[in-house]
Amino acid sequence: MRTWTADAEFFDIKQTLECGQVFRFKKTDDGGYVIHSLDKRCFLRKEGDKIILSSDDEDYFRNYFDLDTDYGAITSRLSAFPELTAAVNFGKGIRILRQDFYEAVFSFIVSANNNIGRIKGIIERLCDVYGTDCGGYHAFPKADQLSLATVEQLKQLGLGYRAQYIYDSVREFPSVAAGIDLTDADKTHKKLLELKGVGPKVADCIVLFGLHITRSYPVDTWIFKANATDALNTPQKVRDYFLSRYGEDAGFAQQYVFYYARENRISSTADIKAG
DNA sequence: TACCAGGTGTGGC
DNA sequence: GCCACACATGGT
């Protein structure tokens, strides 16, 4: 196991893990966290102004935590938008993780019309039952492992009506993955809609968290409550407006707003403006 | 007890 | 294309 450090100024472990972008993490006894991705894991804790990271796969998690990106520049650009100042200040330790594409697809299919606590439990059970035993924890199940599950078995893990989506999408996945074009976000978003259980919002999450295409603005219930106005009265209108407003920074902006709105139980655009 | 949660699929128009 | 409605599950 290797250990290395990162600057904590724009890296808050709790904010980054608990802001709703990822589901396979836990608190540890020493006051830190452990995060799992595919068959890998990484321990994190804070010491002074440094984040201490430990993993068998340093290169993977350096990329995963987006450690080469300047979040000072991102927060600075976004804070210039008056409606974002409070949210960016509140969650300025958030980093957008570079998650695995396949794992993001199935994680966010589970996330639809669901709550984060329950999503975490379902995904943990999926790993424990179908994923490879890595000694002390289980990997995220590979497609050939997940495809062994029947719809009934998936339902027993608490997936409800999403069981059929997982069952169908794991079989549709190869052809969809083959059609992904990282240089064309719109084409990629459209391609993802072919998967069962993937609609516009889940596709936006996959694009943002699984492909790190930051020209993306997933509109869930929290974002919609925070952003809706008389003019922006549908998720589609909210999405289009803020995509054009924030451009390549839209994905970051969305995550600051989501975290702020959810942590503070924001219920309207007026609450955001009141700060 | 209704309502909510990082919404989507389906059928009717 | 848009709209209304159903939908598993667990928490409040």
Side-chain angles (χ1 to χ4, degrees):
Chain A
M1 187 124 85
R2 286 192 49 81
T3 295
W4 71 102
T5 67
D7 194 326
E9 185 180 4
F10 294 101
F11 188 179
D12 185 294
I13 303 167
K14 177 180 164 66
Q15 289 181 2
T16 296
L17 298 183
E18 296 190 359
C19 71
Q21 63 177 319
V22 70
F23 308 105
R24 291 177 64 207
F25 63 89
K26 285 179 180 173
K27 290 183 178 176
T28 52
D29 295 337
D30 64 353
Y33 283 84
V34 58
I35 172 87
H36 299 259
S37 174
L38 295 178
D39 59 345
K40 309 169 200 316
R41 71 176 169 181
C42 184
F43 295 92
L44 303 98
R45 67 181 194 278
K46 187 177 181 184
E47 271 186 24
D49 59 355
K50 293 290 180 191
I51 304 299
I52 316 293
L53 303 96
S54 301
S55 174
D56 286 334
D57 204 330
E58 176 179 351
D59 289 344
Y60 181 84
F61 283 106
R62 277 186 181 276
N63 174 68
Y64 184 84
F65 286 108
D66 202 23
L67 294 183
D68 291 332
T69 297
D70 181 0
Y71 279 73
I74 294 166
T75 54
S76 176
R77 288 197 297 273
L78 289 177
S79 291
F81 293 98
E83 76 276 16
L84 290 180
T85 309
V88 170
N89 188 54
F90 181 78
K92 61 174 177 290
I94 292 173
R95 307 181 78 83
I96 302 293
L97 302 175
R98 292 178 180 268
Q99 298 186 51
D100 175 73
F101 172 65
Y102 162 81
E103 184 170 333
V105 166
F106 291 94
S107 298
F108 282 94
I109 287 175
V110 174
S111 80
N113 196 26
N114 210 340
N115 63 69
I116 291 176
R118 222 180 129 239
I119 297 163
K120 289 181 66 177
I122 291 169
I123 292 176
E124 183 172 18
R125 291 192 287 280
L126 269 176
C127 294
D128 287 346
V129 174
Y130 297 103
T132 300
D133 186 348
C134 298
Y137 68 99
H138 286 257
F140 195 87
K142 297 179 202 276
D144 61 330
Q145 296 172 314
L146 199 50
S147 64
L148 295 176
T150 66
V151 173
E152 271 312 310
Q153 288 169 331
L154 291 170
K155 282 184 179 175
Q156 285 173 12
L157 302 181
L159 275 158
Y161 60 81
R162 301 174 200 80
Q164 186 71 52
Y165 300 163
I166 297 289
Y167 183 91
D168 290 340
S169 286
V170 76
R171 287 160 177 77
E172 298 163 349
F173 181 79
S175 69
V176 170
I180 296 302
D181 178 359
L182 287 178
T183 66
D184 189 337
D186 290 337
K187 182 182 165 192
T188 295
H189 187 268
K190 199 171 189 177
K191 189 71 185 172
L192 287 168
L193 297 180
E194 294 178 12
L195 291 170
K196 275 288 168 51
V198 176
K201 186 271 173 183
V202 167
D204 274 328
C205 284
I206 295 168
V207 162
L208 174 58
F209 302 126
L211 296 170
H212 209 80
I213 294 172
T214 58
R215 188 183 176 80
S216 174
Y217 201 80
V219 181
D220 78 312
T221 65
W222 290 106
I223 289 288
F224 189 69
K225 278 186 280 193
N227 285 161
T229 64
D230 289 343
L232 303 176
N233 57 4
T234 69
Q236 175 76 49
K237 287 177 185 173
V238 169
R239 176 181 189 266
D240 293 346
Y241 176 81
F242 287 104
L243 267 184
S244 71
R245 182 165 171 84
Y246 303 138
E248 301 299 317
D249 286 334
F252 299 102
Q254 186 273 166
Q255 202 55 22
Y256 294 121
V257 174
F258 174 84
Y259 182 65
Y260 181 81
R262 180 165 177 270
E263 291 290 314
N264 295 295
R265 309 278 119 174
I266 291 298
S267 60
S268 73
T269 306
D271 291 342
I272 287 275
K273 286 179 178 168

